[in-house]
Amino acid sequence: MVSKKEGQKYEVWFDGRQLSLENQDTWGLINNSAINKVILTKNQRQEGNYPLKTEFITQVSAREDLEDINSAETVLSSDLDLLELAQKNGFKTCALFNIEGREALESAWQHAKDYDYILVDFDLPTNIPLELIIARLQNSKTIILKSVTTLSELEV
């Protein structure tokens, strides 16, 4: 995941949700790198061992998941009602938007301003939808992250 606000440097988050905790080669690389923000599932967060530098972004899917999360963590979800509850409980929030089509794009930028972060994943290989969201949120404090899988995709 990559984010950048005008005048700021890139911020890289590692998405470990699909990575088994048994994959110690990759986790060792991440844990010993400059990356300190890691996206995890609730189970990974509870069962894994991470360096003190780690800032956790924990994906939740139900209200009861919030009970097991430390207040210093960021809550990630595509459920906007759940994120609203997380905000009421004092959590930083990151809305997950899988954007496929114009309606989803419009909905994402309209809701995005309500969250500390948004994580967007597009169905198109172009950055035009991302640039539209950046333009719509330029006066917002929301930090925009784009899901990428290769280093070449870091270019915005």
Side-chain angles (χ1 to χ4, degrees), residues 2 14 35 38 43 56 83 126 155:
V2 180
F14 177 74
I35 297 172
V38 180
N43 289 341
F56 299 103
L83 289 175
T126 175
E155 284 296 317

Side-chain angles (χ1 to χ4, degrees), residues 7 12 28 66-67 71 80 82 85 101 110 114 133 144:
V12 177
L66 294 173
E67 297 170 10
S71 63
L80 303 184
L82 187 54
L85 179 61
Q110 289 174 358
D114 299 331
I133 290 177
I144 304 164

Side-chain angles (χ1 to χ4, degrees), residues 36-86:
N36 62 352
K37 293 190 177 186
V38 180
I39 303 174
L40 302 167
T41 64
K42 185 183 88 165
N43 289 341
Q44 286 174 312
R45 174 65 182 99
Q46 292 171 337
E47 297 170 12
N49 295 308
Y50 307 95
L52 292 175
K53 68 171 182 154
T54 307
E55 295 177 44
F56 299 103
I57 299 87
T58 306
Q59 183 175 20
V60 297
S61 55
R63 297 172 66 102
E64 44 281 354
D65 291 344
L66 294 173
E67 297 170 10
D68 299 323
I69 298 176
N70 182 308
S71 63
E73 296 179 33
T74 299
V75 172
L76 170 73
S77 184
S78 58
D79 182 336
L80 303 184
D81 292 330
L82 187 54
L83 289 175
E84 184 178 337
L85 179 61

